[in-house]
Amino acid sequence: MFKKYKAIFFDWDGTAVLSRKAPADLAVAAMKPLLQKGIKLVIVSGTTIENIAQGRLEELFTKEELSNLYLGLGRGAYNYAFDDNGKACIFHDEIPDKKTLLDIHRICFEIHQHLLEHYDYATDIVFSRPNYCKIDLMVTENRGTNLFMQENELDMLKETMRAHGLNGGLAELIALASSVGKQYGIEVAPTCDAKYLEVGISSKSDNVNMILASLQKKFGITAEDCAFWGDEYVGIESGIFGSDSFMMTPETKAGDFFDVSEVSGQRPEGVKVLGGGVERFLQFLAAAAVTE
C-alpha cells in the first residue's frame, strides 16, 4: 500500500502519541529504525520542543539518529535540526518583533470583545504563544491531556455558535480575524480545531515548506518522496479544514497525505482516511522500516 519514502512528516499529539504527557516509548521505538536508515522524520506540531517526548529527544536518540530528525513547531514559529553534537538548533524562525506580537494580542482581544458585545459569546485567550494566540471558543469544555480534536467537538461548536446567533459559522470567525488583522496591517493566518481559533502570522504550512526546501537543497528530496500524516485534516465546515490540512501546500501537494482520525467528515481532496489513531501510524512506521 505504501511506497518507500525518503521523508515522513507527521503531527505529534494524536498521531504519534495519544497526548503530550503520555509515554513516547512506542513512538521512539518506531522512529529509531527509520532514522538509522537515513530516512528523514519531521515532527510538525503547534506545540514547543519542551512538549515533544517531555523535552527528552536528545536523550532518547543517538547523535546519528538525531541527524535525520527535524522539528517544525509552534505553527510555523520554529524549525529545528540537530547539530553534530545532537543538540537541537533553530535554522529558521517566524518570530515577530515585539510590536507585531502585541498587535496580534490586540487583534485577538478585539475578536474576543466583538463576540462578547455582539453575540454574548464568552471566550478565553491564551497569550503566551510566540507568534499567535489561542482563542478558546468552548471555555466550559476541558480536553484534559488529550489536546487534539475530539469526536463530538465539531457538533458542540456548531451548536454553541448557533445558540449565540453566529449564523455565518466558522467562516464568519475566520473572516472576522482576517478583517481585524488588516486594520493592524497584518495578514493573519487563522486556523481552528473546533475548540480553539488560533490567530497568528504563520501556520504549519510555513513549517513544512521551509523544512522541505531544506531537505531538497541538502538531499534532493522532493514532495513526491514524502508522506504527511496527521489526525486533524477533517473539515470543520465546508471548505475549512483542521490544522493538519495546512501541511498541504502548493510546494507539498505532490506528496502522499494520510489521516488516522476516527472523526467523521470531509477531508481535503487527496487525503487518504485510514483511521486507527496512534496505533495505525506506528504500524506504518514499523512497515516503512522494512520496506525495500
Side-chain angles (χ1 to χ4, degrees), residues 78-120:
Y78 302 111
N79 296 292
Y80 293 87
F82 290 84
D83 65 19
D84 293 339
N85 296 313
K87 299 297 181 184
C89 299
I90 298 170
F91 68 89
H92 180 82
D93 69 62
E94 292 286 349
I95 302 302
D97 57 33
K98 192 169 187 177
K99 178 186 180 304
T100 303
L101 181 60
L102 289 172
D103 282 343
I104 292 169
H105 289 188
R106 293 184 182 100
I107 290 165
C108 291
F109 189 66
E110 286 198 22
I111 294 169
H112 161 83
Q113 286 182 304
H114 181 89
L115 294 176
L116 189 59
E117 179 180 357
H118 296 282
Y119 298 98
D120 197 28

Side-chain angles (χ1 to χ4, degrees), residues 9-20:
F9 292 68
F10 57 95
D11 178 49
W12 187 249
D13 297 329
T15 301
V17 295
L18 184 60
S19 76
R20 65 184 54 167

Side-chain angles (χ1 to χ4, degrees), residues 43-50 70-81 89-96 128-131 202-203 206-208 210-211:
I43 298 171
V44 185
S45 174
T47 191
T48 63
I49 193 170
E50 292 79 16
Y70 295 79
L71 311 174
L73 304 179
R75 291 183 81 255
Y78 302 111
N79 296 292
Y80 293 87
C89 299
I90 298 170
F91 68 89
H92 180 82
D93 69 62
E94 292 286 349
I95 302 302
S128 57
R129 299 301 184 263
N131 67 349
S202 61
S203 70
D206 298 277
N207 289 128
V208 296
M210 179 55 62
I211 294 176

Side-chain angles (χ1 to χ4, degrees), residues 9-259:
F9 292 68
F10 57 95
D11 178 49
W12 187 249
D13 297 329
T15 301
V17 295
L18 184 60
S19 76
R20 65 184 54 167
K21 292 188 177 181
D25 304 22
L26 294 177
V28 170
M31 291 164 65
K32 275 179 170 287
L34 292 165
L35 295 171
Q36 290 165 6
K37 285 189 167 189
I39 296 172
K40 313 306 177 188
L41 299 184
V42 185
I43 298 171
V44 185
S45 174
T47 191
T48 63
I49 193 170
E50 292 79 16
N51 287 323
I52 303 295
Q54 293 81 48
R56 297 177 56 232
L57 285 175
E58 295 174 5
E59 304 172 29
L60 297 173
F61 297 98
T62 67
K63 295 176 184 178
E64 291 73 19
E65 291 165 353
L66 288 170
S67 69
N68 293 312
L69 180 63
Y70 295 79
L71 311 174
L73 304 179
R75 291 183 81 255
Y78 302 111
N79 296 292
Y80 293 87
F82 290 84
D83 65 19
D84 293 339
N85 296 313
K87 299 297 181 184
C89 299
I90 298 170
F91 68 89
H92 180 82
D93 69 62
E94 292 286 349
I95 302 302
D97 57 33
K98 192 169 187 177
K99 178 186 180 304
T100 303
L101 181 60
L102 289 172
D103 282 343
I104 292 169
H105 289 188
R106 293 184 182 100
I107 290 165
C108 291
F109 189 66
E110 286 198 22
I111 294 169
H112 161 83
Q113 286 182 304
H114 181 89
L115 294 176
L116 189 59
E117 179 180 357
H118 296 282
Y119 298 98
D120 197 28
Y121 192 144
T123 62
D124 285 335
I125 307 175
V126 178
F127 287 107
S128 57
R129 299 301 184 263
N131 67 349
Y132 71 100
C133 294
K134 295 164 66 84
I135 302 175
D136 189 344
L137 301 172
M138 294 191 291
V139 296
T140 61
E141 301 300 320
N142 188 345
R143 285 177 171 173
T145 59
N146 295 330
L147 301 183
F148 49 92
M149 185 169 62
Q150 306 299 302
E151 172 70 39
N152 62 339
E153 284 183 342
L154 292 176
D155 291 335
M156 291 169 57
L157 175 63
K158 292 173 184 177
E159 182 179 341
T160 300
M161 292 175 71
R162 283 194 298 265
H164 287 275
L166 277 161
N167 299 318
L170 185 59
E172 184 175 346
L173 292 180
I174 297 290
L176 174 62
S178 297
S179 175
V180 177
K182 288 178 181 177
Q183 294 174 24
Y184 287 85
I186 298 175
E187 185 176 347
V188 297
T191 62
C192 186
D193 69 350
K195 180 170 171 59
Y196 294 105
L197 175 67
E198 299 180 343
V199 181
I201 59 170
S202 61
S203 70
K204 286 185 176 183
S205 296
D206 298 277
N207 289 128
V208 296
N209 285 345
M210 179 55 62
I211 294 176
L212 179 59
S214 178
L215 295 180
Q216 185 165 6
K217 182 177 180 180
K218 292 180 180 179
F219 307 107
I221 294 174
T222 64
E224 291 88 342
D225 303 314
C226 302
F228 300 82
W229 287 73
D231 67 301
E232 290 186 356
Y233 285 103
V234 70
I236 311 298
E237 61 184 44
S238 180
I240 299 176
F241 299 97
S243 62
D244 289 330
S245 71
F246 284 78
M247 290 194 289
M248 303 186 78
T249 73
E251 291 81 0
T252 66
K253 65 181 181 180
D256 294 333
F257 294 83
F258 302 97
D259 188 349

